Every structure is written in structure tokens, then in C-alpha cells.
Amino acid sequence: MASKLFSPKTFSILFILLPLVIATLQLSFADSSDPTVAVSPETICKSTQDPSYCKSVLPNRNASVFDYGRSVILKSLLQARKFSNTVDTYLQSRSTLSVTTVRALEDCQLLAGLNVDCLQASYETVNKTTVSLPSSEVDDVQTMLSAVLTNQQTCLDGVETTASDSSIKNGLSGKLLNDTKLHGVSLALFSKGWVPIKKISSQPKRKHPKFRNGRLPLKMSSQKRAIYESARRRKLLQTSDEVAVTVYDIVVVSKDGSGNFTDITSAVTAAPSNLNASDGYFLIYVTADVYEEYVSIPKGKSYLLMIGDGINQTIITGNRSVDDGYTTFNSATFAVVAPGFVAVNITFRNTAGAIKHQAVALRSGADLSTFYSCSFEGYQDTLYTHSFRQFYRECDIYGTVDFIFGNAAVVLQNCNIYPRLPLSGQFNTITAQGRTDPNQNTGTSIHNAIIKAADDLAANGGTTQTYLGRPWKQYSTTVFMQSFMDSLINPAGWHEWSGTFALSTLYYAEYNNSGPGSDTTNRVTWDGYHVIDATDAATFTVSTFLQADDWLPQTGVPYTDGLI
């Protein structure tokens, strides 16, 4: 029998078939092993949410995940430019459009421009390397690609809910949905090819700029030096001798005319463009007063440091709302998209009231933005942590429905959270996190907070139900850790958005909280809800979730890097 089975003819056939067998095995196992191995589009697309669509946008040849990733990110960039041009074309006819449509288009114009920037920077980063990237660059690109999807969703939400011109609504909605699928493939393939590299401890970290022990790099007048020294004596700038905050220049905003400007917007306009971290901050000192203005810090005004005279002393206030025809996005009293922004000792307020529904006090879509000893006051949608990486320390946040919301990677640490009295028949939800894609590195982490009823809610006798959050989007991600929860928190803890939407795909977690509202015995039983241990909780700490050790020290703001 043996001689017949292994005849010379049989060996010849096996020799011919062997390369085909090996190739088949390579294709079968490459997807879970070596990312440098060339595989088919069908194989690589298995890791995406829509494999059929993914295959349609990839080159029809075998390639590595790195090659596929570079190819599709370039396609995303080209498509983002086309969409930006489309929005610009619509806005050229703004005189024939409704006010609400123009506002929605202006949001999309801003967001489309940011997407082009993010995709251009992402493509340049992945195109300069044949395989791997340093961990800091991996984090940067994943953050930018995550923000692209958030910007798409924000534009779509605004168009569908605010724009009243049906032809534009219908024309843009389809483009937005198709482009979002393309950008989702870019993020998925980047995550598959590059993101695991950040787990390698040997990767170099981002280098810190060399600060000059707090000294001003430019010659300053005695008045500006006095202001600077005053700022150093405030809560900020409590840094070590090795790393201290450097200030590039200083201007003063004072309504009485004693400073350089009487309004904040003029000071922002006067700031230099495109500062780097090593240049130091452009410090805008805003004296105690009530500033009734809408402030927007555009992308070019990077590394601004805005310091007020304290909570309820320096107040920036407005009253725009969705009920008055604004999108949620452009209802913000104060908005910032410029990277490296720091605010200290300021109250941001929206006075539209509960009756006006969505009305944002502050919106941040600024990467590496930091808020220290600030207050955010509103009702529904008070604090819009829109996108990128953000940190809040020792802040007060007041609101009713979804009043901490957005899709940033954000940690709120040592903050006071005050649910207020909502409209009759409403319940309070502290968070509404908006993650739309499993590959985004976004989520809301609330660490060592104090959650108590605001005075108006406390006086109401506790009849209003208050929940930790509800899932705004499919992959909503929120964690409460080591926080005090007073008795106002409903025993279920969390509330659904609509029926069973997102209950199995969300990630909601609690770790080692205290207070009468922290008992998890009667919490929801959703698949996506977890009571986690210290190992899992460490994933959502400042150093891990935000890579904060790379950038927070330069702000001078204190922080706890891990669990307490």
C-alpha cells in the first residue's frame, strides 16, 4: 500500500500543488499574524464593519495592511477635499438659503476643513514609513482619524435637524454617509496595522520641549511682567523647576479700558498664529467682569492660555439655543478648535434656560485642550466635549439633560458635577457619549468627582430622576471611577436612549465609587454595562487614556496620572 500511495507520480503531483497549499495557508493565517504579509482585499476587509464596501475601495491586488491603509487614507483625503468644495459651492448661494440652512452649512464648512487637515497630516505620517510608527504618532493619527468620523457625524446631525432646504439636506446627507463609510475603513485599517504598536514599551515617547523655568522668552514691559508673576501665584503654574510654563507674550482684556482690549475676541484675533509648544503660550488675562460675547478660537490660534480672576468673577456668557434656530454645534457661547488651549479661573455660561433645550456653554474640539478651575453653566447640553484629547481638573459642571456630551477622549478629574432642576416631565442624564465606531479611541472618563444636586434640584425634594448617562451613539463609552455619588442617582444608574438601541454595543462601567448613589446592586443588566476592577479602570486614567504625561506637564495644571 505504501509503495502505491507514494509513487513518483504522486510525489510529482504533491510537488506541483505544494506552492498552492502554502499560499492558501498564508492567506488563511496572515490576517491574525504578520501585518507585513500581503493578503487579499477579502481577507483584510474582514476586520472592518462593512467588508463588501471595504473591498470596493481597496486596490484589486494582494497587499499588506500597511499598503492598504496608506491607499485608503489617501482616498479619504481626496474625498474630504471634494466634500469641502461641495459645501463651499452651496454657501456661494447663501443669499437664497434659509438662515438655519446657512448655519448648518457653516458648521459643515468648518468641520470639512478640519477633516482635510486631519487626513492630510495622517497621510503624511503613514506615508513616510514602510511599516511601524512611534507610539506617540500612532496615538496622534488614531485621534485624528477618530475626529474625522466625529466631524462627519456632527455635520450630518446639523444638516438633518436644522437645515430647512430639502434639496441641500438630501444632497449632503448621502455624500456624508458614503464618505463616513470610507473614513471608517481608513480608521479600521490604520487600527489593524498600526495601533497595536503602541503596546510596545520600547517605542520612544514624545519629547518634552525645554522650558525656561518660567522665564519669559521675550523682553517684557514691567506691567506685563507683573501680570505674569501674578499669574504664577495663582493656581496655575505650580510646576517644578525642571518644567515650568513659558509665556510668549501677554495681553490684558478689561471692559473698563485699562487693558489692551475691552473684549475677548479682539485679544484672540491679536494672538500670533501657529505657535508651537516650545514657543510658549500667548497669555490672555481676562479681568473680573461679565463678558457678553460669543468667542470662537480658530484652528490657527494654537497654544493660547486664557486666565481669569476666578469662577463667578470672570464670566463669559451667551444665550444661543437650538430652539432659536442654531445647531447644537454653533449654539456654544465659547468654542475652541485650536490645539493646546488652556483655560483657568473662568466661568462659561449659557443662559438660554431649560425651556430652550440644547444650549451649549462651551464646546471644545481642540486637541490637547485643558480646563482648570473653571465652571460650565447651562441646562441641556452644557459642556460639549466634541473631539480630540481633553482634560478637565477641579471644574464645576451644571446641567440637566445630557449635559456632558460629545465624542472626545476626555478625562474629568476632581470635578464637581451638579445636576439641576429640568423641565417638568424630564429626567436628568449627566452624560451622553457619542462614539460611533468601535475603532475610535474616544470616551468619557469621570475620575474622583463629586456628584451632588444643585440647589434648585435639592430644593425640589428629590422627585426628579437623575442617571449617570445614556447612549447617544452606537458605541457610547463612559466610565465613572472613584467618585462620590449622592442619593440623587437612580438605583438603575443608567438610562436607555431609545428602546434597545446600543445596549449591547455601548461600554458603560463603574469602579470603586462611593456614596449612597454608588450602590451597583440594582444597576441595569445590559450586555454593555460592567462593574470593573482596578486593571480595567487603569485603562481610563489620565496617563493611559490621554497619554497625558506627554503633554499635560507643559500646561502647569496638576493631575493624578493613575488611580488614587
Side-chain angles (χ1 to χ4, degrees):
M1 289 288 292
S3 62
K4 290 181 181 179
L5 284 173
F6 295 97
S7 64
K9 183 178 180 180
T10 302
F11 276 114
S12 299
I13 294 172
L14 288 174
F15 183 77
I16 294 170
L17 293 177
L18 186 60
L20 296 176
V21 173
I22 292 174
T24 301
L25 289 173
Q26 283 179 332
L27 290 176
S28 298
F29 294 108
D31 186 46
S32 59
S33 56
D34 187 353
T36 63
V37 172
V39 296
S40 67
E42 292 90 345
T43 299
I44 203 67
C45 286
K46 291 177 182 178
S47 62
T48 65
Q49 289 188 283
D50 188 340
S52 177
Y53 175 80
C54 169
K55 182 183 174 184
S56 72
V57 297
L58 295 185
N60 188 23
R61 58 178 172 78
N62 287 5
S64 72
V65 65
F66 299 112
D67 292 332
Y68 284 133
R70 280 185 281 268
S71 170
V72 75
I73 290 174
L74 178 59
K75 283 191 175 183
S76 279
L77 171 59
L78 298 176
Q79 198 60 36
R81 287 174 177 163
K82 288 182 181 178
F83 181 77
S84 181
N85 291 336
T86 298
V87 175
D88 290 344
T89 300
Y90 279 131
L91 280 170
Q92 289 174 4
S93 303
R94 70 174 65 219
S95 61
T96 66
L97 303 174
S98 68
V99 172
T100 55
T101 297
V102 170
R103 286 171 177 163
L105 286 172
E106 286 175 341
D107 288 353
C108 291
Q109 185 181 49
L110 169 63
L111 295 163
L114 294 172
N115 278 357
V116 170
D117 293 343
C118 286
L119 288 163
Q120 180 71 47
S122 297
Y123 178 68
E124 289 175 358
T125 299
V126 299
N127 200 44
K128 72 182 181 183
T129 177
T130 55
V131 181
S132 62
L133 290 168
S135 60
S136 60
E137 293 188 5
V138 170
D139 293 329
D140 290 345
V141 173
Q142 189 181 17
T143 296
M144 288 188 286
L145 295 179
S146 296
V148 167
L149 290 176
T150 302
N151 292 341
Q152 289 285 113
Q153 186 65 52
T154 303
C155 174
L156 180 63
D157 288 345
V159 166
E160 291 187 336
T161 61
T162 306
S164 58
D165 294 79
S166 58
S167 61
I168 290 179
K169 182 183 296 189
N170 295 334
L172 283 185
S173 293
K175 290 182 174 66
L176 282 163
L177 290 170
N178 284 333
D179 290 356
T180 296
K181 289 199 293 184
L182 177 61
H183 303 326
V185 173
S186 292
L187 176 58
L189 297 190
F190 178 82
S191 298
K192 185 171 182 59
W194 281 276
V195 169
I197 296 173
K198 71 179 181 180
K199 298 178 182 178
I200 301 174
S201 60
S202 61
Q203 289 290 331
K205 286 191 173 184
R206 190 193 318 270
K207 294 186 180 298
H208 291 264
K210 298 294 185 181
F211 294 105
R212 288 183 269 268
N213 296 330
R215 297 189 181 89
L216 295 164
L218 302 177
K219 291 183 178 180
M220 293 289 156
S221 67
S222 58
Q223 179 190 27
K224 288 184 178 180
R225 187 169 294 278
I227 294 168
Y228 176 72
E229 292 303 325
S230 175
R232 280 176 56 81
R233 289 192 293 271
R234 297 174 188 276
K235 284 186 175 182
L236 190 69
L237 314 183
Q238 296 177 352
T239 55
S240 67
D241 290 338
E242 289 76 27
V243 180
V245 175
T246 299
V247 173
Y248 179 85
D249 201 353
I250 296 173
V251 295
V252 178
V253 178
S254 182
K255 290 181 72 175
D256 65 9
S258 62
N260 304 98
F261 304 98
T262 57
D263 64 278
I264 298 167
T265 298
S266 296
V268 171
T269 301
S273 297
N274 301 316
L275 287 178
N276 295 312
S278 56
D279 296 324
Y281 290 96
F282 185 80
L283 195 160
I284 300 175
Y285 171 49
V286 186
T287 60
D289 217 317
V290 178
Y291 296 83
E292 297 180 14
E293 59 177 302
Y294 297 95
V295 180
S296 179
I297 301 180
K299 63 185 180 182
K301 301 296 183 177
S302 52
Y303 290 92
L304 295 189
L305 167 57
M306 191 173 291
I307 301 180
D309 274 326
I311 291 174
N312 292 330
Q313 299 298 312
T314 297
I315 300 168
I316 306 171
T317 185
N319 62 1
R320 289 176 177 169
S321 69
V322 168
D323 270 20
D324 287 332
Y326 293 89
T327 63
T328 302
F329 187 81
N330 62 35
S331 72
T333 300
F334 191 104
V336 54
V337 295
F341 177 76
V342 181
V344 185
N345 294 341
I346 298 172
T347 291
F348 302 93
R349 183 177 289 167
N350 190 313
T351 61
I355 197 169
K356 292 290 187 176
H357 300 287
Q358 298 97 326
V360 176
L362 180 133
R363 185 193 82 233
S364 177
D367 198 19
L368 314 180
S369 53
T370 307
F371 299 85
Y372 179 42
S373 189
C374 291
S375 183
F376 308 94
E377 300 176 9
Y379 287 85
Q380 183 171 349
D381 290 3
T382 302
L383 177 57
Y384 197 171
T385 57
H386 181 262
S387 52
F388 290 101
R389 294 165 287 196
Q390 306 180 25
F391 179 63
Y392 296 74
R393 170 84 178 197
E394 296 174 31
C395 293
D396 298 336
I397 306 113
Y398 296 82
T400 56
V401 179
D402 306 336
F403 64 96
I404 301 171
F405 76 111
N407 195 27
V410 56
V411 176
L412 297 99
Q413 189 176 83
N414 294 24
C415 293
N416 299 309
I417 298 175
Y418 297 114
R420 302 173 103 168
L421 184 66
L423 294 174
S424 176
Q426 286 185 328
F427 54 84
N428 286 333
T429 43
I430 294 172
T431 66
Q433 206 281 329
R435 184 169 176 169
T436 60
D437 190 290
N439 292 303
Q440 289 177 306
N441 59 354
T442 55
T444 298
S445 173
I446 296 178
H447 184 207
N448 196 32
I450 295 175
I451 304 170
K452 289 186 174 182
D455 290 344
D456 60 350
L457 182 60
N460 186 248
T463 58
T464 298
Q465 299 300 305
T466 298
Y467 299 88
L468 299 175
R470 60 177 181 159
W472 183 26
K473 301 297 181 184
Q474 187 79 45
Y475 297 93
S476 184
T477 300
T478 305
V479 178
F480 284 80
M481 311 188 299
Q482 300 180 311
S483 295
F484 174 83
M485 301 178 182
D486 213 343
S487 57
L488 77 162
I489 301 300
N490 184 284
W494 307 81
H495 199 284
E496 68 276 2
W497 184 270
S498 177
T500 60
F501 170 73
L503 301 188
S504 61
T505 52
L506 60 77
Y507 183 89
Y508 285 168
E510 297 180 56
Y511 169 71
N512 198 27
N513 298 302
S514 62
S518 67
D519 186 355
T520 60
T521 304
N522 296 311
R523 288 297 197 246
V524 295
T525 57
W526 308 336
D527 290 344
Y529 171 73
H530 311 274
V531 177
I532 56 177
D533 59 19
T535 300
D536 290 334
T539 305
F540 296 93
T541 57
V542 171
S543 290
T544 304
F545 196 49
L546 301 183
Q547 302 82 42
D549 296 329
D550 291 341
W551 58 275
L552 261 181
Q554 72 190 52
T555 69
V557 172
Y559 68 97
T560 302
D561 55 358
L563 297 170
I564 57 174

